[in-house]
Each structure stands twice: as structure tokens, then as C-alpha cells.
Amino acid sequence: MASRCWRWWGRSAWPWTPPLSVGSIPSFRHQFSTQETTPQICVVGSGPAGFYTAQHLLKQHPQAHVDIYEKQPVPFGLVRFGVAPDHPEVKTAHCGRCAFWGNVEVGRDVTVPELREAYHAVVLSYGAEDHRALEIPGEELPGVCSARAFVGWYNGLPENQEKTDITKAALDVLRQSRVKTVWLVGRRGPLQVAFTIKELREMIQLPGTRPILDPVDFLGLQDRLKEVPRPRKRLTELLLRTAMEKPGPEEAARRASASRAWGLRFFRSPQQVLPSPDGQGAAGVRLAVTRLEGVGEATRAVPTGAMEDLPCGLVLSSIGYKSRPIDPSVPFDSKLGVIPNVEGRVTDVPGLYCSGWVKRGPTGVIATTMTDSFLTGQMLLQDLKAGLLPSGPRPGSAAIQALLSSRGVQPVSFSDWEKLDAEEVARGQGTGRPREKLVDPQEMLHLLGH
């Protein structure tokens, strides 16, 4: 592995936006008659959006039954495979009116129309499973990959084949890494960064590393701080101190002894991945130097005409995620990467809903997703109460299980997942980690006797 790594974070997948007040969502719990037909509801996707949607429906409707379908054999989506492994426990799946069915890929093993026929309502919460491409020459070279694939790899996402629950295979590779310098490159400046002060503080204090910030990028910034909102002000102040102030003796000694470094390269936009002499890998990135135009949210980076080359042997693009279309019957906006909807109701398809990133795009944090999912659940319950959903009983999972069986698909239940969970925990005990993740779906199914 080369000694330098470059990461493009021009558009983060996680800009924080304040969630709406959950307390503003009206309660439907006491508005449904116990004599009504049991609503059979299907949720596609078992990440945070799927579970929060299910949680709201189960809490607000005392008879509702919710089935959660997931293409992976294991639940929890981004919580398990993305930014926050082993996030808070999800109690929804232990509710007697909720069932988890893993190893079922909607759009392949069962279609959305088949789900709509079996359930009173279907909620699509399958997230953003793809990454946005840089769309520059050389992006196809070996040594260039998306940050999504990299994070999925070290978190054990099967398709990308704490303490930490990073997989042993990934940990072994990273321990042998010869990467000495990591540059984080962005088109705009310090006032537009999307990371949090907590993330920055952790990076500054990262053992064995030292930060590299160019004081030129921060000239004149102190005078603009008074007009910056408080959270952004505190973050910028920390950046300024790190870039402009001489560290104390203890911190200076720590940085001097650091064998690795990371740096922020502002006002740079990628134009091309440069190939190695033999053309078999990445050797650097050609960057356009930019300047800012506009104010506030309208601030954008424009090229100055100057260019520079940044040598590196590994390029990770991190400009955001995007969703994929799931089924020909479901409308999809390929430009925005979302399912067209109004407050979670899928446009022109009664009884079909969406929540999470496939609804609004890859923005926000877990709290944002929670509120967003509750609002979709609220719309569904409003439609149910208004008589806008099919009346009469629906077979729910019984019909779908019969279809899956006829197609040779073996679903994984939540009790099956608990067996896999126990196996992962047992494997991790020997190394002092919370778990050693199973990453091979076939091994998972074999352990379950499928």
C-alpha cells in the first residue's frame, strides 16, 4: 500500500440538520377501534429508518402487525455496517406484533406488487446503498474506491468483502498498513466543513498522528466569527487554534514523536486521478484550486485556473450516497436518487410509503431519521384512519412466506439472528472485542442449518 492516502469529502453524507420536535407528532393510539381488521404492514429495510417506522406504527396502533424485510441475513443496516457499529439496542424486533425476515431481497426474491397484494400498506426504507461517483478521468483505476465501500469493508458488509467490532480481517490489513499521510480534500473552506467538533477533536487527539493545517487557509477568518452560528463558531475556533497557535510543550512533544499525519486541504477540486507509470494503479490526484463565490448557504467553489498535483496511492471518494431503484413498479427520481413522495406518501401509488434516505436523500443523523420515520408512520396511520387503505383482511407474511418457499428462498428470522449474534459475541471474547462479525452470508446460513 502506498504511503499516502487521499480522501475527497466535498459533500458529506452526514450534514446535521435539526430534527423536528417529536412531541409535535399527534398520537393515534386511542383513535383505533379494537374491532378493526388487524392492519398488516410491511417495511422494506431494517436500518434505523425501517425500525423507527415500525416502532411508531406499533406504538400508535395497538393491533398493527409489522413485518420487516431485509436483503442481508442480519438486521440494523447502517448501524451495523456503517458509521456506528453496535449503536443502541433496538427493542422493536422483540415486540410480538413485529417480525424480521432477513435474506430476502425485495425486487429479486419478491416484488413490490406482490408485497402490496399481501399487505394493507408497504413502507420502503431501504436507504442509500450506492455512492456518488466523482465522474473524473482515472476514477476506474485500481487504488480508487468509495468511502462507502471502505467503511463497509472494515465493518463487515458482506458485499464488500469497540473497543471495536471491526472485523479481524480488516484489522489485520490495517495493522500492516504503510500509510503515513492522509489528506482530506474539499472544494470549499473552513466555514463550510461538514464534520462535527467532536469528530475534529478526536482527529486532533488521535494517538500517533499530527495534524497539518495551512495557516493561509484561515487568514481573515477570526474577523468573521461573530456572524457565525454558535456550533459552527466553536468548530471554527478549534480549527483556528490548531492551525495558528503554537501547541504547549506536552502537545508539541506528542506531535513531534508522531509517525503519521493527516491534513486538511481546502479550496481544491478533483479533476483527474493520475495513473502510475505502468497504468496499473493510482499515483496521484490533479486538483483545481478554487475560490468562493456567494454568501451563506449559496456559497460555492469556482476554479481559479490554477492546478496542482497531489501524489497518493489510494483515493477514497466521499461525496455522498445515493439510493437505487428497487422495482419497476415504484417511481424513482434518478437525478435526486430518491422515491418521489409527499410527506412519505409515494407519488401516485396509494398504500405505498417511504422513509429515511430513500425518501429525503442521504442527509442528517440518526435523530433526523427517527423524526422523519415517525412522520411517515403518522401519514400512514392518517390514511388508515381515513379509510384510504384496503379494507378487509390481508394475508401478510403467510402469503409472502409461501412465495419465498416456492422460489427456494430461506428467510432468516429474528431468533435466527440472535443465534448469529451469540456466535459473533463468542468469537469476539477470545480477542477482547465485543464481537467478531460474521461476513459471509453462506456461512451464516450454514450455521443456521439453512
Side-chain angles (χ1 to χ4, degrees):
M1 184 177 289
S3 62
R4 287 175 181 262
C5 170
W6 173 90
R7 183 182 178 198
W8 169 248
W9 48 265
R11 285 179 291 173
S12 169
W14 289 95
W16 187 83
T17 52
L20 297 173
S21 170
V22 177
S24 67
I25 301 176
S27 173
F28 290 83
R29 184 170 179 81
H30 302 294
Q31 300 180 26
F32 296 101
S33 166
T34 56
Q35 304 302 314
E36 291 174 351
T37 299
T38 299
Q40 298 286 341
I41 303 168
C42 160
V43 173
V44 179
S46 70
F51 268 105
Y52 281 131
T53 303
Q55 180 190 82
H56 187 78
L57 295 169
L58 294 165
K59 183 177 181 180
Q60 297 300 325
H61 196 299
Q63 283 84 42
H65 182 95
V66 179
D67 290 314
I68 302 175
Y69 290 92
E70 167 62 49
K71 75 172 186 177
Q72 302 292 347
V74 293
F76 307 138
L78 192 63
V79 170
R80 175 178 170 90
F81 297 122
V83 294
D86 294 333
H87 210 265
E89 292 181 8
V90 180
K91 298 179 180 179
T92 305
H94 290 284
C95 172
R97 294 182 287 119
C98 182
F100 168 78
W101 302 108
N103 196 42
V104 177
E105 184 170 347
V106 174
R108 184 192 68 181
D109 301 327
V110 62
T111 67
V112 171
E114 288 169 338
L115 292 175
R116 294 183 63 213
E117 187 69 25
Y119 292 89
H120 292 95
V122 174
V123 185
L124 301 175
S125 305
Y126 61 89
E129 299 179 298
D130 209 348
H131 71 280
R132 295 188 183 277
L134 291 170
E135 297 181 348
I136 60 175
E139 191 171 9
E140 75 291 344
L141 287 168
V144 182
C145 71
S146 70
R148 178 194 177 278
F150 182 68
V151 172
W153 167 69
Y154 69 66
N155 273 312
L157 182 63
E159 67 193 49
N160 292 129
Q161 303 220 41
E162 255 154 334
K163 323 188 179 176
T164 176
D165 63 356
I166 188 172
T167 64
K168 183 177 184 298
L171 192 60
D172 289 344
V173 172
L174 292 175
R175 279 175 172 159
Q176 298 172 34
S177 168
R178 292 180 293 144
V179 172
K180 296 298 182 185
T181 306
V182 176
W183 289 105
L184 292 93
V185 181
R187 293 172 303 168
R188 298 189 291 173
L191 285 178
Q192 289 79 39
V193 297
F195 50 74
T196 66
I197 190 170
K198 181 176 184 292
E199 291 165 339
L200 175 61
R201 192 177 292 119
E202 288 177 349
M203 285 295 294
I204 293 170
Q205 298 170 354
L206 193 65
T209 71
R210 60 184 176 86
I212 306 173
L213 279 73
D214 188 346
V216 173
D217 291 338
F218 298 88
L219 295 177
L221 210 55
Q222 185 71 48
D223 299 334
R224 300 177 57 188
L225 284 182
K226 58 178 179 290
E227 56 196 53
V228 175
R230 178 170 168 75
R232 172 71 65 180
K233 180 179 179 181
R234 291 177 59 237
L235 169 60
T236 308
E237 287 173 339
L238 180 55
L239 279 168
L240 275 168
R241 287 197 301 273
T242 306
M244 311 293 279
E245 295 180 7
K246 184 178 179 180
E250 185 176 340
E251 176 63 10
R254 187 190 74 83
R255 294 185 188 180
S257 65
S259 61
R260 302 184 181 192
W262 61 272
L264 297 172
R265 205 67 165 266
F266 292 112
F267 308 111
R268 301 292 186 272
S269 179
Q271 303 299 300
Q272 179 185 356
V273 178
L274 303 173
S276 58
D278 61 5
Q280 298 303 303
V285 180
R286 180 154 293 160
L287 302 170
V289 180
T290 64
R291 59 180 173 80
L292 298 184
E293 285 187 354
V295 295
E297 294 298 317
T299 301
R300 63 191 186 95
V302 296
T304 63
M307 307 286 284
E308 69 178 35
D309 292 348
L310 180 63
C312 62
L314 175 63
V315 181
L316 302 177
S317 64
S318 183
I319 60 171
Y321 297 79
K322 65 178 181 179
S323 298
R324 300 169 179 166
I326 193 171
D327 190 287
S329 69
V330 179
F332 189 78
D333 186 327
S334 57
K335 183 177 181 180
L336 297 178
V338 298
I339 295 173
N341 70 93
V342 178
E343 296 183 314
R345 297 179 175 101
V346 176
T347 305
D348 298 327
V349 190
L352 188 62
Y353 303 82
C354 56
S355 68
W357 282 5
V358 76
K359 169 186 174 183
R360 70 180 191 277
T363 60
V365 293
I366 295 292
T368 325
T369 296
M370 177 183 70
T371 304
D372 167 86
S373 301
F374 286 179
L375 290 173
T376 290
Q378 176 192 354
M379 297 301 105
L380 191 159
L381 293 175
Q382 281 184 357
D383 292 350
L384 178 65
K385 186 173 184 292
L388 299 178
L389 298 182
S391 59
R394 288 286 171 115
S397 64
I400 301 304
Q401 296 303 316
L403 276 177
L404 295 174
S405 178
S406 71
R407 294 166 184 172
V409 179
Q410 297 179 301
V412 172
S413 67
F414 199 77
S415 61
D416 288 334
W417 151 242
E418 290 178 318
K419 295 173 186 175
L420 296 176
D421 179 49
E423 175 67 19
E424 290 185 344
V425 171
R427 292 187 182 191
Q429 286 177 343
T431 56
R433 301 206 303 275
R435 66 178 65 241
E436 177 59 40
K437 284 179 183 168
L438 298 163
V439 298
D440 182 353
Q442 293 307 313
E443 182 184 8
M444 296 181 197
L445 297 177
H446 177 74
L447 288 170
L448 295 172
H450 283 19

